[in-house]
Amino acid sequence: MTKELGNTGLLVIELMKTIKKYFKMYFLLVKYAAAADLTYWQNLSIGLLVEIFYQVAFLAFFAVIFFQTKSIAGWGPFEIIVLLGIDTFTSELLVGMILVNNTRELPNKIWSGELDRNLLTPVNPIFILTFGRPYFPSFISALPGFFLIWYGLVKLGVRLTVIGLAGSMLFFILGFILIVNMVLDFSLLTFFFQDTQTLPKIGERIAFSFTSRPDDMFGGFLKVLFFFLLPVVYVSSFSAKALITGIDWKYLCLAVLLTLISLIFTKWLWQKAIKNYSSASS
Amino acid sequence: MENNHVIEAIDLSKTYLIRKKEQGIVGSIKALLKNKFNEKEAVKNISFTIDPGEMIGFIGPNGAGKTTVLKMLSGILFPTSGKVKVLGFNPSDRKSGFLKKISLVMGQKNQLIWDLPPIDTFHLNKEIYEINDDEFDKNLKELIRIFEIGDILDQQVRQLSLGQRMKCELVASLLHHPEILFLDEPTIGLDIIIQKKIRQFLKIVNREMKTTIILTSHYMDDVKEIAERVIVINQGSIIFDDALKSLSKRFANYKMVYLTLNKEVPKNILSKFGHIIKYEYPEMVFKVSPEKVAETTFFVLKNLDVDDININEPELEDIVRALFDK
Ligand SMILES: Nc1ncnc2c1ncn2[C@@H]1O[C@H](COP(=O)(O)OP(=O)(O)O)[C@@H](O)[C@H]1O
Ligand SMILES: [Mg+2]
């Protein structure tokens, strides 16, 4: 009994150490990405401008829609603004943490042999492939998201509660993990289909096109698709709802379950992929 | 099993399955479904053992299978068959305990962060390999001394020369004091002087840090200067595995005669003495068996108008080339 407890204790300490190691590593990676980008501040400013342009264009698109109609799938303009604020985070963090230099680059890494090196560092290779090279400008351009959320909430007259905030963050984190796994899974298919840059892009497209949509828009087959198979609705839509109207516990449980499944699936896919891997000939 | 080898390979083979390439994503889906493969036997049933502290050169022509062997030893590739143990581990499991004890450097492939000074990569490796502060400081200091990179630590990697980058690359891969260092063509593309330097550094690393070093190359110079033992590999098989010295003893049963002529002669005039390797007037090179050297020299001096004559041991380069040609 005491021995059992001792083991669990050790395990927890081990786990904490590992988590600390990865956080420390990630902090360094972001710091270096920032430093590298700052040496090319022209690039940084252009990158920022591009990201902000996207956001403005996107907002304008919704503004146009609200000229025509009072609500989208039951969501009024200020609810949509909260949603878009959260989605600014989602998409910018997705771009900055995952896409630009990582999952999108997987085919190149396989082709160039860089993956070999990743495999030989004593760090989880999935971590490196997913987070190894952050793209810094997106971390900055995620920030206006705060303003949108704040503005939307004020206009709606919502009073934030600790529970609502916690629920929203939980939805965001789970939803984000789900999206990352989805994007990563599409990238991993590169191992089986070799050529093309297409596969990583498919995952990205799905993420970008649908995370910003209110979940109530989807019914029938689309509901099955975007709630279960390509679970894009949790990260922005459900975390917005958690802030505005409260936590939907049923879907929170579902999100937890799906997250577990997707983590397991990704791991399985990775193992298949790497078994198939024959390195680049050099 | 009594075992103080750091590496033990038994009947190791690697066959690449090359999926027949078709254009586009539809094509590749088709290819995937059809499961059509070409096979390429890159490494065939090789066996060898390596002891701690050894410095070994794997040599062989392009496509011989050197890189494939290193990839199996370091754990990048699963062997198709056979057994391999490195430091008691099965490399392709890629256990972190194993990965922390080895390093692989591939010439021209960079691990340094391109836009930042090398010192930043070193710090990142500190986290990756979980090196504690004292050890890191000690190792870094030692390596800066050995590789003479004190003055370039803070320069952006992209501004360094190829040679400087290779030095930093090696430092980055040695910070965690690996027990085995695998080097795949480490001097490729470097100029002669830097090549020489790198070899000297590696010798120091081997001597002072007791690192087992296994290097592949198709430059004989690499091997000649640093490896005490060579493994010659050709078309996936080991054709020689012994001390460097016995390579020439075993295979070089001839001498090289270098002539500079004053007057052109027919090519076949010396063919009864030995095999002509090169004849581009006024230079002529041919090999003769040791017992015919005197006779040949006599004939040459008597019958040809020579400006210069030299008789030498064959170059290792030539020995190896002769081996491959068989
Ligand atoms: N990833 C790969 N896929 C298919 N064939 C490969 C691959 N890597 C190497 N080969 C083939 O295997 C043989 C051995 O290659 P390699 O080990 O790179 O030789 P070396 O390093 O001695 O030049 C070559 O014929 C090469 O074309
Ligand atoms: Mg090679």
Side-chain angles (χ1 to χ4, degrees), chain B residues 224-255:
Chain B
K224 210 160 44 186
E225 277 181 37
I226 63 177
E228 287 119 34
R229 174 179 160 201
V230 282
I231 296 183
V232 182
I233 179 167
N234 192 29
Q235 298 185 4
S237 303
I238 292 180
I239 53 177
F240 175 88
D241 175 2
D242 205 344
L244 186 62
K245 274 173 283 179
S246 43
L247 186 65
S248 38
K249 253 188 235 145
R250 175 112 59 99
F251 294 103
N253 47 357
Y254 57 87
K255 306 256 183 218

Side-chain angles (χ1 to χ4, degrees), chain B residues 6 19 26 52 62 67 81 99 119 125 163 176 179 217 233 238 273 281 291 294 300 314:
Chain B
V6 283
R19 191 165 271 136
V26 177
N62 263 325
T67 302
S81 67
L99 298 176
I119 188 75
N125 277 13
H176 61 287
E179 289 178 33
S217 187
I233 179 167
I238 292 180
F273 298 106
Y281 181 77
E291 62 271 18
V300 165

Side-chain angles (χ1 to χ4, degrees), chain B residues 32-92:
Chain B
L32 187 75
L33 295 177
K34 273 190 276 175
N35 250 354
K36 274 200 176 159
F37 292 105
N38 287 328
E39 292 196 351
K40 167 78 203 176
E41 260 190 294
V43 173
K44 305 169 193 164
N45 294 308
I46 65 170
S47 303
F48 57 90
T49 57
I50 292 174
D51 292 333
E54 273 198 284
M55 214 162 169
I56 294 194
F58 262 87
I59 54 175
N62 263 325
K66 305 177 297 288
T67 302
T68 305
V69 172
L70 279 202
K71 283 178 178 172
M72 287 192 284
L73 295 180
S74 57
I76 294 171
L77 291 177
F78 289 86
T80 308
S81 67
K83 261 178 58 180
V84 58
K85 274 254 167 327
V86 178
L87 300 167
F89 291 89
N90 177 13
S92 53

Side-chain angles (χ1 to χ4, degrees), chain B residues 36-307:
Chain B
K36 274 200 176 159
F37 292 105
N38 287 328
E39 292 196 351
K40 167 78 203 176
E41 260 190 294
V43 173
K44 305 169 193 164
N45 294 308
I46 65 170
S47 303
F48 57 90
T49 57
I50 292 174
D51 292 333
E54 273 198 284
M55 214 162 169
I56 294 194
F58 262 87
I59 54 175
N62 263 325
K66 305 177 297 288
T67 302
T68 305
V69 172
L70 279 202
K71 283 178 178 172
M72 287 192 284
L73 295 180
S74 57
I76 294 171
L77 291 177
F78 289 86
T80 308
S81 67
K83 261 178 58 180
V84 58
K85 274 254 167 327
V86 178
L87 300 167
F89 291 89
N90 177 13
S92 53
D93 291 344
R94 292 191 290 267
K95 292 258 164 56
S96 93
F98 168 71
L99 298 176
K100 282 182 184 171
K101 289 184 179 165
I102 64 156
S103 237
L104 169 68
V105 174
M106 298 182 142
Q108 290 193 330
K109 269 182 203 157
N110 229 293
Q111 68 162 312
L112 304 168
I113 306 170
W114 194 241
D115 293 321
L116 298 175
I119 188 75
D120 287 342
T121 303
F122 300 161
H123 278 119
L124 187 61
N125 277 13
K126 173 179 183 298
E127 298 308 323
I128 289 175
Y129 286 93
E130 298 174 277
I131 310 167
N132 69 40
D133 294 349
D134 293 342
E135 213 181 315
F136 178 78
D137 291 342
K138 193 181 108 237
N139 295 355
L140 183 60
K141 222 161 125 192
E142 182 184 27
L143 288 164
I144 289 174
R145 175 181 59 77
I146 296 179
F147 285 89
E148 303 167 1
I149 56 162
D151 52 336
I152 52 172
L153 281 178
D154 294 318
Q155 274 182 44
Q156 219 185 16
V157 169
R158 66 162 68 236
Q159 292 167 349
L160 300 177
S161 71
L162 210 57
Q164 290 173 323
R165 249 183 265 155
M166 182 41 95
K167 290 197 278 182
C168 294
E169 190 78 30
L170 286 165
V171 170
S173 60
L174 287 165
L175 274 172
H176 61 287
H177 263 229
E179 289 178 33
I180 304 179
L181 175 62
F182 297 104
L183 297 158
D184 195 24
E185 313 259 1
T187 54
I188 204 161
L190 301 178
D191 66 55
I192 307 277
I193 297 167
I194 298 287
Q195 283 189 20
K196 234 182 151 55
K197 274 242 132 112
I198 297 274
R199 285 180 211 121
Q200 283 166 6
F201 295 148
L202 290 174
K203 267 182 158 128
I204 299 174
V205 167
N206 172 255
R207 199 176 53 227
E208 294 186 6
M209 296 166 58
K210 310 271 177 272
T211 315
T212 307
I213 297 183
I214 294 151
L215 129 169
T216 75
S217 187
H218 62 269
Y219 293 133
M220 238 358 254
D221 285 341
D222 275 343
V223 175
K224 210 160 44 186
E225 277 181 37
I226 63 177
E228 287 119 34
R229 174 179 160 201
V230 282
I231 296 183
V232 182
I233 179 167
N234 192 29
Q235 298 185 4
S237 303
I238 292 180
I239 53 177
F240 175 88
D241 175 2
D242 205 344
L244 186 62
K245 274 173 283 179
S246 43
L247 186 65
S248 38
K249 253 188 235 145
R250 175 112 59 99
F251 294 103
N253 47 357
Y254 57 87
K255 306 256 183 218
M256 305 295 288
V257 179
Y258 297 85
L259 293 179
T260 311
L261 300 168
N262 285 324
K263 227 169 81 190
E264 219 166 336
V265 293
K267 191 176 176 187
N268 57 7
I269 192 165
L270 293 171
S271 48
K272 66 176 164 178
F273 298 106
H275 178 64
I276 295 185
I277 292 175
K278 188 181 131 199
Y279 181 30
E280 280 163 23
Y281 181 77
E283 310 275 326
M284 182 186 272
V285 185
F286 61 102
K287 51 185 198 187
V288 294
S289 57
E291 62 271 18
K292 280 195 175 170
V293 169
E295 194 188 337
T296 312
T297 322
F298 183 72
F299 178 88
V300 165
L301 292 175
K302 193 166 157 219
N303 297 302
L304 308 184
D305 185 0
V306 289
D307 185 34

Side-chain angles (χ1 to χ4, degrees), chain A:
Chain A
M1 181 71 195
T2 40
K3 192 166 175 247
E4 194 95 322
L5 223 76
N7 277 344
T8 322
L10 278 181
L11 214 68
V12 170
I13 291 174
E14 231 11 76
L15 194 69
M16 299 293 279
K17 256 168 75 179
T18 309
I19 291 173
K20 196 174 143 207
K21 170 183 167 180
Y22 280 85
F23 266 100
K24 231 171 145 182
M25 231 161 29
Y26 194 66
F27 174 76
L28 266 187
L29 288 169
V30 175
K31 186 174 131 192
Y32 290 160
D37 279 329
L38 286 171
T39 44
Y40 303 101
W41 62 270
Q42 293 99 330
N43 288 2
L44 180 71
S45 353
I46 292 170
L48 271 175
L49 278 179
V50 169
E51 294 301 327
I52 287 169
F53 171 77
Y54 273 130
Q55 289 175 21
V56 171
F58 199 57
L59 283 176
F61 167 72
F62 274 91
V64 168
I65 292 180
F66 279 108
F67 270 123
Q68 327 275 340
T69 158
K70 279 216 154 51
S71 71
I72 299 175
W75 292 53
F78 296 112
E79 287 165 333
I80 292 282
I81 283 186
V82 175
L83 170 64
L84 293 185
I86 297 177
D87 199 61
T88 301
F89 266 101
T90 307
S91 49
E92 293 298 326
L93 287 188
L94 203 59
V95 166
M97 293 173 78
I98 318 292
L99 300 180
V100 173
N101 297 324
N102 299 304
T103 53
R104 199 180 282 174
E105 287 298 313
L106 186 61
N108 287 339
K109 284 186 179 173
I110 296 175
W111 169 82
S112 71
E114 195 187 325
L115 183 67
D116 289 351
R117 161 143 293 130
N118 297 341
L119 289 177
L120 291 190
T121 46
V123 173
N124 187 335
I126 303 180
F127 171 83
I128 302 188
L129 292 184
T130 320
F131 300 101
R133 256 191 272 151
Y135 170 72
F136 187 68
S138 294
F139 286 79
I140 298 180
S141 48
L143 298 179
F146 274 125
F147 171 74
L148 288 180
I149 297 170
W150 169 80
Y151 180 71
L153 290 178
V154 168
K155 283 286 181 182
L156 287 168
V158 169
R159 304 241 346 239
L160 281 185
T161 62
V162 174
I163 297 252
L165 203 59
S168 175
M169 269 159 72
L170 199 55
F171 264 122
F172 181 80
I173 291 168
L174 293 171
F176 197 72
I177 297 174
L178 282 168
I179 301 273
V180 170
N181 271 312
M182 181 186 77
V183 171
L184 184 60
D185 293 344
F186 274 101
S187 278
L188 288 179
L189 291 178
T190 317
F191 279 97
F192 306 96
F193 296 100
Q194 289 170 12
D195 59 356
T196 77
Q197 309 275 334
T198 327
L199 287 161
K201 296 231 172 86
I202 296 176
E204 284 181 24
R205 274 298 146 75
I206 296 171
F208 282 136
S209 310
F210 299 108
T211 53
S212 58
R213 307 290 164 93
D215 63 279
D216 301 285
M217 269 174 72
F218 304 121
F221 169 70
L222 286 183
K223 185 156 184 172
V224 176
L225 189 64
F226 292 130
F227 277 61
F228 298 95
L229 301 177
L230 306 169
V232 293
V233 292
Y234 301 100
V235 65
S236 305
S237 186
F238 276 98
S239 40
K241 272 186 175 172
L243 283 181
I244 300 167
T245 53
I247 301 167
D248 193 328
W249 293 100
K250 192 174 68 182
Y251 283 108
L252 189 58
C253 294
L254 186 60
V256 171
L257 190 69
L258 285 172
T259 303
L260 285 176
I261 293 172
S262 83
L263 285 170
I264 293 169
F265 179 76
T266 301
K267 186 156 188 206
W268 173 82
L269 192 64
W270 164 255
Q271 276 163 352
K272 277 248 172 261
I274 209 63
K275 204 97 200 186
N276 229 16
Y277 175 65
S278 62
S279 178
S281 67
S282 47

